[in-house]
Amino acid sequence: MSAPSIKAVLGPTNTGKTHLAIERMCGHSSGAMGFPLRLLAREVYDRVVAIKGEKAVALITGEERIEPKDARYFLCTAEAMPHDGGGHAFVAIDEVQLAADRERGHVFTDRLLNARGREETMLLGSATAAPLIQSLIPHVELTERPRFSTLAHGGAKKLSRLPKRSAVVAFSSEQVYAIAEMLRRQRGGAAVVMGALSPETRNRQVELFQNGEVDYIVATDAIGMGLNLDVTHVAFASLAKFDGVKRRRLTPSEMAQIAGRAGRHHRDGSFGALVGMGGQDAEFTEEEIFAIEEHRFQPLTKLFWREAEPRFDTLNTLIADLSAKPDERELAPAPESIDLAVLRKLADQPFAQAIRGPANVRRFWEVCSLPDFRASGVDTHARFVTRLWQDLREGYIGADFVAARIAELDTVRGDIAVLQGRIAAIRSWAYICQRPDWVLARDEMAARARAVEARLSDALHMRLTERFVNRRTSVLMKHLGNDPSLLPISLEDDGTLLVEDQAIGKLEGFRFAIDPHAAAGDRKMLLSAGEKALPRILATQAEKLRESGLDGVALRDGRVMWGDQEIARLEHPVDPAEPRLKPARELDRLPEGARAAFIAAIEAKVKEWLAPLEPLRKLQLASKSEDATSWARALLLNLLDGHGIVTRERAGIENLPKEARPFLRKVGVVFGALDIFAPALLKPAPRLAMKQAGIDRRPIDEAMRSVIPATKPLPAGYRPAGEQLVRVDIAEKLFRQAHEARAKAKGAGEKRGRGAPFVLDTALAVSTGLTPDSIKRLLGAAGFRMVEGKPVPEGAFGPALPDRWRWLPQRSGSRSGARGSDGEHRRQGKSRHAKGASKPGGKGRGKPQGSGRADQGANGKPREPRPENAFAALKDMLS
């Protein structure tokens, strides 16, 4: 009896290797084939079922098991395939070059070395594995098959220039989705194929492409593992991928594995880069192009190996065997995969101390070998494995518990990402239900899991089709060509913009907002399509708004707003009579005539809003008047900088000669005890106008009440008074009343001198709404100190002594301002009161009281400031 033959059939893609293996297996009484992907296993299963019938063919993957009682032919993933091949007459391993893969390479190495058929063994894969196969299996019969068709470099192409029947390859789900959406916009749609899809979803997506419903398919590198499609061109969106350790460039053999999907049987194919999608790493080098076209690649130098039959005496022994190094020089220790990483992590947990005996250790290792379908990482996956082990260490998992977990996932609501997450989760439970000794009512639970995965797959297929196959775009591309001006665009009363009676977005003001549910590619196309129609529609919009008197348009912080959209901006410095506007860019799309008329209407409206600022304009003109002295001009500039209010300390009033004051009073300036202000600008209308124009961004009290509760920051036009705020002109009335009461007391011959007490009637202050404490604090800021009246002694009769006040201004800081205000009040008092009451000295002419001394000379007239001090003060103010 002759020894069973071992054949290695190697070569590039489209050489018929898989087809040859299927024919050879069907010629034997039994057989098994191992594949790298369950998608490929399912495809071959369907082909063998067509030849041998359903009862003779089994499909075994980690999550799915179709195993008829009389099955003789088994199509499996490499991990689900028996270690030794299962004793079948024929055994084949596909894509054996994956023995050099970091994550799964040790599985393929084990099958390459140990899986054998009774009569025939066939190893299929790339020619790069030939030297190592010959070294490890000296008696192997090596056969290299040529490619049926040529594969040529087609150059770099834009997505819009891709030929029909093209496949675009990307290396992340995000990039796959982005490209598919662009193809939907430009070409009407694309099928999507990824390794994470269930076989049902994958097959239905492939049908879209194979049946011609779409001319493009977007896939990950899973497309390179034997999926047979009618593809004529393969475009690489990128030539780099993350391999589990780092992002690296594909090797030429990996590029060829994917590019080889182009061309089928004797029809030639091409490959190239996709311009603008992958950056510089999507460009092929001359050496890579030569290697792919000529099928010449650097051979593999190492295959990854891990002990396939470790000892299960203890967890430490198991870990040691799985970490052992191979003896053969062609083999290298496999990098730590997730199952071993989980085992190491959980072996240090307290519960692991109770895992003893070969049976328990083996069972624990099988639980740790649960694939991480959700790609959640070692820590998260280890927690799931821990919970699973807690349920399994006592025996089986109850059917009710498993049924509840499956039912939780049995919902088709959600988007693509949510459905993919549920499919990954149900795959975990499908794997658990496939184990022979893990779940009670195993067959029933496995059937439920498969049914849920099928429903989720159908829902995912629908979501993918809805998202990436745009029937509307397809019709537009076919019937309207590439001329966007032919698209009929109309505007509804609610602002909805329609294209062929389908809503594509809304006009928000003059800005076109695409439907948020529309894909990014659709937005660009529809914006381009409406480019010629939008000016007409926007002109109609502007005309309606102008005829309504700009209803809904408001001025906020210097911006002309229509709803939440800025349509113009007020440029500073502001001239209330001639405001300068900068229209928003959205208005540039208006026709010239409509734009000019609309902007003129906005300017007229802004003038109306800024009309209350005429007193401010009067101050501006006065600051530029030839009649204003340099001192008056300096004070006006300070007043304008304070938006109509400035404290005496900051105004520089100590340097202002008396000759300048009539000019300033004429333009509406009031010299108060603590503040210099323009009363006309303390009214509600001008303060609101300054707020709207963005001149004064401080908060305001819209009614400009006399007294309001204290708030922070300090509103414009108010002075603090304890827990209240008082408008500065009202505060000035109260200060003036206090000075007049003091002057009246002096005129009546009461005690004279600095700080002489006097009685103040606070009725005016109380009538404004000020509390006693606020009155005390406000007058205290102007130098007045209250002396509380003494109560009537016990046993005495008569009225209580009233509260008295003293004027005790500070000698530093605000002293000059307070004294100046007293002199100002005396001068104003002469025109309003009796002559005797208005004289500061009463009957005699002794030394002046309080502030008169600092500001008056020997003759009682105001002393002129020194020139050098005046210029110094002016310099400070101007700086």
Side-chain angles (χ1 to χ4, degrees):
M1 181 176 180
S2 58
S5 64
I6 302 177
K7 299 178 181 178
V9 182
L10 308 177
T13 55
N14 194 24
T15 57
K17 299 186 296 293
T18 305
H19 181 75
L20 173 64
I22 294 172
E23 286 185 340
R24 295 297 301 165
M25 182 180 70
C26 291
H28 288 274
S29 59
S30 65
M33 293 182 66
F35 299 95
L37 299 173
R38 65 175 184 150
L39 300 177
L40 185 54
R42 183 61 186 252
E43 180 182 346
V44 176
Y45 166 79
D46 293 336
R47 293 175 61 182
V48 177
V49 165
I51 299 172
K52 294 293 185 179
E54 290 184 359
K55 294 183 179 180
V57 186
L59 173 66
I60 301 176
T61 66
E63 314 93 277
E64 188 175 14
R65 180 182 291 267
I66 304 175
E67 189 175 2
K69 181 180 178 181
D70 300 325
R72 295 180 290 118
Y73 303 96
F74 293 79
L75 292 312
C76 318
T77 54
E79 287 81 356
M81 187 179 187
H83 166 70
D84 59 356
H88 300 287
F90 175 88
V91 169
I93 311 297
D94 197 14
E95 307 293 356
V96 292
Q97 76 276 2
L98 288 181
D101 181 73
R102 295 181 57 86
E103 183 68 25
R104 304 170 62 204
H106 62 90
V107 176
F108 285 85
T109 300
D110 175 71
R111 305 300 184 265
L112 184 149
L113 296 176
N114 300 304
R116 297 290 182 265
R118 296 193 317 269
E119 301 171 7
E120 184 178 1
T121 301
M122 186 173 287
L123 307 176
L124 313 174
S126 171
T128 56
L132 292 178
I133 292 176
Q134 285 181 313
S135 177
L136 292 170
I137 311 174
H139 55 283
V140 67
E141 180 183 338
L142 188 63
T143 302
E144 291 196 20
R145 293 173 65 91
R147 183 178 167 89
F148 289 148
S149 61
T150 60
L151 182 63
H153 181 240
K157 301 181 184 296
K158 294 182 179 179
L159 200 65
S160 59
R161 300 291 183 179
L162 283 181
K164 292 184 177 181
R165 314 309 296 169
S166 291
V168 182
V169 179
F171 295 97
S172 69
S173 59
E174 293 80 5
Q175 195 173 32
V176 167
Y177 294 156
I179 295 171
E181 286 181 348
M182 293 179 69
L183 285 171
R184 183 189 73 139
R185 172 178 61 83
Q186 298 180 4
R187 300 300 181 90
V192 174
V193 173
M194 296 184 294
L197 300 182
S198 64
E200 290 81 2
T201 306
R202 189 284 317 236
N203 289 341
R204 296 186 65 178
Q205 286 291 304
V206 169
E207 285 177 7
L208 289 176
F209 179 77
Q210 293 292 80
N211 296 338
E213 293 186 46
V214 294
D215 288 324
Y216 303 91
I217 186 168
V218 186
T220 60
D221 53 346
I223 196 175
M225 295 298 174
L227 292 180
N228 294 312
L229 302 169
D230 293 326
V231 174
T232 58
H233 180 79
V234 173
F236 287 79
S238 175
L239 291 176
K241 71 172 184 177
F242 182 76
D243 63 0
V245 177
K246 62 180 180 179
R247 181 175 173 82
R248 63 171 179 84
R249 189 175 179 85
L250 300 176
T251 64
S253 61
E254 291 173 326
M255 298 176 188
Q257 184 72 26
I258 300 171
R261 293 300 102 195
R264 193 171 184 183
H265 297 297
H266 295 284
R267 187 170 61 247
D268 295 338
S270 60
F271 68 95
L274 188 63
V275 175
M277 298 303 301
Q280 295 181 352
D281 63 1
E283 296 293 337
F284 289 91
T285 65
E286 294 294 332
E287 294 77 8
E288 290 168 345
I289 294 173
F290 175 80
I292 296 171
E293 290 181 339
E294 299 298 326
H295 314 298
R296 297 182 182 180
F297 310 107
Q298 184 177 359
L300 300 177
T301 58
K302 294 288 182 182
L303 302 182
F304 290 117
W305 175 90
R306 190 175 77 181
E307 178 59 59
E309 295 182 338
R311 294 169 294 169
F312 297 100
D313 299 338
T314 65
L315 290 179
N316 291 334
T317 302
L318 174 61
I319 294 174
D321 285 357
L322 293 174
S323 304
K325 295 182 179 180
D327 296 329
E328 293 82 354
R329 61 179 178 81
E330 297 88 355
L331 305 178
E336 185 178 74
S337 55
I338 192 167
D339 52 0
L340 181 55
V342 170
L343 176 63
R344 288 184 187 275
K345 184 177 183 65
L346 298 186
D348 295 332
Q349 301 300 317
F351 70 84
Q353 302 300 321
I355 303 175
R356 298 187 180 91
N360 277 338
V361 173
R362 179 187 293 271
R363 188 176 178 83
F364 184 64
W365 169 235
E366 291 172 349
V367 175
C368 292
S369 299
L370 172 70
D372 183 16
F373 293 108
R374 291 170 292 185
S376 56
V378 174
D379 292 338
T380 303
H381 188 55
R383 289 195 292 270
F384 183 76
V385 169
T386 300
R387 293 194 299 268
L388 179 61
W389 172 250
Q390 291 171 349
D391 295 327
L392 287 174
R393 63 184 175 183
E394 302 298 334
Y396 291 85
I397 303 177
D400 292 342
F401 178 81
V402 175
R405 302 291 78 74
I406 293 174
E408 290 173 352
L409 299 170
D410 190 8
T411 174
V412 296
R413 294 191 299 269
D415 56 14
I416 292 174
V418 171
L419 291 175
Q420 282 187 314
R422 290 200 192 108
I423 289 177
I426 200 65
R427 288 177 68 185
S428 297
W429 285 106
Y431 183 94
I432 293 170
C433 292
Q434 295 298 335
R435 300 296 303 177
D437 58 348
W438 283 12
V439 179
L440 291 174
R442 163 193 163 188
D443 293 339
E444 180 185 352
M445 295 301 104
R448 288 192 183 188
R450 287 197 301 270
V452 171
E453 183 177 2
R455 283 191 289 273
L456 292 173
S457 298
D458 291 342
L460 180 58
H461 170 70
M462 291 180 60
R463 299 291 192 281
L464 291 171
T465 303
E466 290 170 357
R467 180 172 176 181
F468 301 124
V469 180
N470 190 333
R471 306 295 182 189
R472 179 184 62 197
T473 303
S474 179
V475 170
L476 294 178
M477 294 296 296
K478 291 178 181 179
H479 297 285
L480 299 179
N482 294 320
D483 187 355
S485 64
L486 298 178
L487 287 175
I489 298 179
S490 59
L491 181 66
E492 296 294 292
D493 293 337
D494 63 352
T496 301
L497 201 63
L498 301 179
V499 174
E500 292 191 346
D501 299 327
Q502 296 191 27
I504 62 171
K506 279 191 174 184
L507 274 181
E508 298 175 354
F510 291 92
R511 185 180 299 118
F512 178 50
I514 292 291
D515 182 358
H517 301 292
D522 289 341
R523 296 174 185 176
K524 184 177 179 180
M525 182 199 70
L526 294 172
L527 281 174
S528 175
E531 187 174 7
K532 293 184 178 180
L534 277 178
R536 170 180 55 83
I537 293 173
L538 294 179
T540 303
Q541 190 90 320
E543 180 67 18
K544 289 181 179 179
L545 186 59
R546 188 164 59 86
E547 291 178 353
S548 69
L550 299 183
D551 185 28
V553 178
L555 181 64
R556 295 198 295 266
D557 294 329
R559 299 183 302 164
V560 181
M561 305 294 293
W562 184 24
D564 294 330
Q565 183 186 358
E566 178 184 323
I567 59 177
R569 184 180 292 268
L570 199 59
E571 291 189 330
H572 296 288
V574 177
D575 184 350
E578 295 295 334
R580 290 186 293 176
L581 292 178
K582 181 179 181 181
R585 289 185 301 175
E586 287 78 10
L587 300 186
D588 293 341
R589 299 182 64 89
L590 288 168
E592 187 60 33
R595 182 176 183 273
F598 186 60
I599 292 176
I602 296 175
E603 290 177 344
K605 192 70 174 179
V606 171
K607 287 181 182 180
E608 179 183 337
W609 284 326
L610 300 184
L613 294 182
E614 183 59 29
L616 181 66
R617 180 170 180 265
K618 189 175 181 180
L619 294 179
Q620 291 175 338
L621 295 176
S623 68
K624 303 174 183 178
S625 172
E626 296 180 356
D627 298 334
T629 64
S630 59
W631 307 109
R633 188 174 296 111
L635 187 141
L636 286 171
L637 291 176
N638 276 331
L639 193 61
L640 289 170
D641 186 56
H643 312 305
I645 306 164
V646 64
T647 62
R648 294 179 70 95
E649 292 85 349
R650 297 189 60 183
I653 194 171
E654 68 275 5
N655 301 312
L656 185 70
K658 65 178 182 179
E659 293 82 2
R661 298 198 181 201
F663 172 80
L664 294 171
R665 291 194 190 98
K666 185 178 180 180
V667 297
V669 178
V670 170
F671 296 87
L674 299 180
D675 302 289
I676 312 299
F677 58 92
L681 293 176
L682 293 176
K683 297 179 180 179
R687 294 264 46 119
L688 179 61
M690 279 193 279
K691 177 73 173 176
Q692 292 175 330
I695 299 173
D696 189 352
R697 298 184 181 273
R698 292 177 294 174
I700 63 169
D701 182 71
E702 292 189 0
M704 291 301 289
R705 293 169 292 175
S706 299
V707 176
I708 60 174
T711 59
K712 290 185 178 181
L714 186 68
Y718 285 86
R719 170 168 284 280
E723 295 183 354
Q724 293 178 294
L725 301 176
V726 59
R727 207 171 65 211
V728 293
D729 57 337
I730 300 300
E732 178 56 28
K733 288 183 180 180
L734 300 179
F735 298 151
R736 184 179 297 114
Q737 181 194 26
H739 281 292
E740 289 174 351
R742 185 172 69 88
K744 185 176 181 181
K746 294 177 184 179
E750 294 186 9
K751 180 180 177 181
R752 303 178 60 188
R754 186 177 187 275
F758 63 94
V759 177
L760 175 63
D761 183 6
T762 60
L764 176 62
V766 173
S767 67
T768 62
L770 285 170
T771 64
D773 180 69
S774 298
I775 297 172
K776 182 177 177 181
R777 289 177 177 269
L778 177 65
L779 293 176
F784 294 94
R785 303 292 182 264
M786 188 181 75
V787 180
E788 295 184 2
K790 296 181 180 181
V792 177
E794 186 176 355
F797 297 94
L801 290 176
D803 295 337
R804 297 168 72 84
W805 294 80
R806 296 175 181 273
W807 189 57
L808 298 171
Q810 298 178 1
R811 294 184 178 276
S812 60
S814 62
R815 184 178 70 174
S816 61
R819 289 177 176 173
S821 66
D822 182 54
E824 180 67 23
H825 277 298
R826 285 199 298 269
R827 285 188 292 273
Q828 293 176 357
K830 288 183 179 181
S831 62
R832 294 193 297 267
H833 302 285
K835 187 174 182 180
S838 63
K839 291 183 179 179
K843 296 179 180 180
R845 295 185 178 270
K847 62 181 180 181
Q849 297 287 326
S851 64
R853 189 162 188 173
D855 293 335
Q856 295 177 1
N859 57 358
K861 296 182 179 181
R863 179 180 297 150
E864 291 291 333
R866 297 179 181 177
E868 60 272 23
N869 292 341
F871 283 108
L874 179 60
K875 179 180 179 181
D876 291 341
M877 285 187 291
L878 295 177
S879 64

